[in-house]
Amino acid sequence: MADIVDPQVEQYAAAHSEPEPEALQVLAEETRTGTKAPTMMTGHLEGRFLTTLVAMLQAERVLEIGTFTGYSALSMAESLAPGGQIITCDISEEHVAIARRHIEASPYADRIEIRVGPALDTIAGLAGPFDLVFIDADKPNYPAYLDAVVPLLSEHGVIAADNVLWSGNVVAGRGEADDENLAAIRAFNEKVAGDDRLAAVMVPIRDGVSLIRRR
């Protein structure tokens, strides 16, 4: 994943943000050394962004599409309202095994429920409302995930969609013409911008995060 923000600026931002908890440092190191795609991990700065977002929303129910190794779920669980719940789903048994181990060892095991299987199938079996939905999974299904979760949002619910800048390649003239993921992200971004029901702001943190709410 190419740098969007100057790496020195990003390091400065991380150094002046809430420190990364030790347990997440351990998980991050295992993800970097023990998985084939460690750049899929949310990481320190975006993890603190999610922690803060959950706190600001005073979220009680969170849906995460794309568990990976559990870094983002654990980050969000830190500031979940008392009695709150995170449902996180993924299709990879290998990644979920790492997430499950770290979640079970954390103080937040009772707040996080992992579901394994195709995300659209999982979503179809859920009832809202959700105060926050974090989308960070297979890019071709982003538009379908959006359609599936908008009806599940609470009155002041927010969708956070990751990777919406795709290493900056969303800009016209960049990226490969046959990149299926890039095409899907561009289609998703246009879909959000053209939906009169929704208002969004795109934040250039890490690989880009769109915060989407109902008007």
Side-chain angles (χ1 to χ4, degrees):
M1 185 170 61
D3 294 316
I4 295 173
V5 178
D6 182 312
Q8 289 184 320
V9 174
E10 184 144 336
Q11 290 169 12
Y12 182 90
H16 291 80
S17 298
E18 182 182 19
E20 184 179 38
E22 183 177 353
L24 288 182
Q25 294 177 33
V26 173
L27 173 54
E29 181 59 24
E30 180 175 347
T31 303
R32 282 190 289 266
T33 59
T35 66
K36 296 178 181 178
T39 56
M40 289 170 56
M41 180 176 61
T42 301
H44 174 200
L45 194 58
E46 189 180 357
R48 295 300 91 193
F49 179 81
L50 291 172
T51 304
T52 302
L53 185 59
V54 170
M56 292 173 66
L57 290 169
Q58 298 182 315
E60 296 181 0
R61 296 190 76 215
V62 175
L63 171 61
E64 177 180 52
I65 304 171
T67 310
F68 192 40
T69 58
Y71 192 106
S72 49
L74 285 166
S75 296
M76 292 187 287
E78 286 181 40
S79 52
L80 200 64
Q85 178 192 38
I86 295 174
I87 297 174
T88 181
C89 56
D90 205 290
I91 200 167
S92 169
E93 294 278 7
E94 178 185 358
H95 295 154
V96 164
I98 298 172
R100 198 182 303 279
R101 178 159 40 81
H102 285 269
I103 288 169
E104 289 176 353
S106 78
Y108 313 116
D110 62 338
R111 305 182 188 184
I112 303 173
E113 177 186 347
I114 299 175
R115 300 197 183 187
V116 181
L120 288 171
D121 291 347
T122 298
I123 296 167
L126 297 175
F130 288 96
D131 303 305
L132 175 64
V133 178
F134 181 45
I135 303 176
D136 186 16
D138 55 307
K139 310 314 167 190
N141 270 321
Y142 264 39
Y145 294 147
L146 181 71
D147 288 337
V149 301
V150 167
L152 300 180
L153 286 178
S154 64
E155 183 180 358
H156 300 292
V158 171
I159 299 166
D162 202 8
N163 304 116
V164 292
L165 291 176
W166 205 244
S167 298
N169 290 327
V170 289
V171 174
R174 297 188 186 179
E176 301 295 329
D178 60 350
D179 185 340
E180 179 187 20
N181 290 320
L182 174 57
I185 288 294
R186 284 175 170 160
F188 173 80
N189 291 339
E190 293 302 319
K191 181 179 178 67
V192 171
D195 193 326
D196 292 337
R197 301 171 301 166
L198 305 175
V201 58
M202 191 176 286
V203 183
I205 182 173
R206 194 170 176 264
D207 198 29
V209 178
S210 281
L211 298 180
I212 305 160
R213 60 180 174 83
R214 285 201 191 97
R215 290 187 183 275

